[in-house]
Amino acid sequence: MGVDLLSIERFSRVARHERYRTLVFTESELAEADALSGPRVVERLAGRFCAKEATAKVLGRGLGQGLGWRDIEVVGDRWGAPKVTLRGRARSIADEADIDRVEMSLSHHGDFVVCVAASVPRDVGTYPAMNGG
């Protein structure tokens, strides 16, 4: 598991800086955020940054310690829930640890965003309640 908490206001300088944006976020993450308006753009990017940090903790590495920012991509699924895609070194680390995927929950309140992320092992199976048993 990994958790991260971030002040949206404190992060806003990074979210508005063109070079930092392209170093930290993938094209899909930026397109998703830029489709919003006003302060929602910064809020979305702060959430994605927080999610990347929580995912790095799940993988047992810090960003810059064998992980690149763009090795972890977080975009919304069709319902808006965050979906994580691991690429490059992040995918290699997950494979070595038998991690199939990372699930997460993001929450925004006031000036803060928090993300809790958890690894799902390759051979997790299903819970009885999920398959009718």
Side-chain angles (χ1 to χ4, degrees):
M1 293 198 60
V3 65
D4 196 63
L5 175 71
L6 179 66
S7 163
I8 296 167
E9 177 59 34
R10 189 168 174 216
F11 181 76
S12 66
R13 197 174 111 219
V14 172
R16 292 186 177 107
H17 192 282
E18 194 59 37
R19 173 127 168 86
Y20 293 152
R21 286 169 50 104
T22 58
L23 287 173
V24 173
F25 300 106
T26 67
E27 288 180 24
S28 295
E29 289 167 329
L30 290 171
E32 189 177 79
D34 290 340
L36 302 171
S37 60
R40 299 263 316 166
V41 174
V42 173
E43 182 181 320
R44 174 63 55 97
L45 291 177
R48 295 324 190 222
F49 184 88
C50 192
K52 289 172 184 263
E53 288 280 359
T55 300
K57 291 172 184 174
V58 165
L59 298 174
R61 303 288 172 92
L63 289 155
Q65 297 175 330
L67 285 178
W69 290 105
R70 293 163 36 114
D71 288 345
I72 301 167
E73 181 179 69
V74 184
V75 294
D77 69 9
R78 67 184 186 140
W79 305 109
K83 179 174 174 14
V84 181
T85 300
L86 303 175
R87 295 189 177 92
R89 187 68 183 132
R91 181 71 261 163
S92 296
I93 292 166
D95 288 343
E96 290 168 14
D98 287 327
I99 295 172
D100 180 51
R101 65 187 185 280
V102 174
E103 296 287 340
M104 67 177 46
S105 179
L106 276 164
S107 185
H108 300 259
H109 181 75
D111 182 45
F112 293 97
V113 60
V114 64
C115 180
V116 176
S119 65
V120 178
R122 285 203 195 288
D123 298 320
V124 72
T126 59
Y127 293 102
M130 295 176 76
N131 63 12

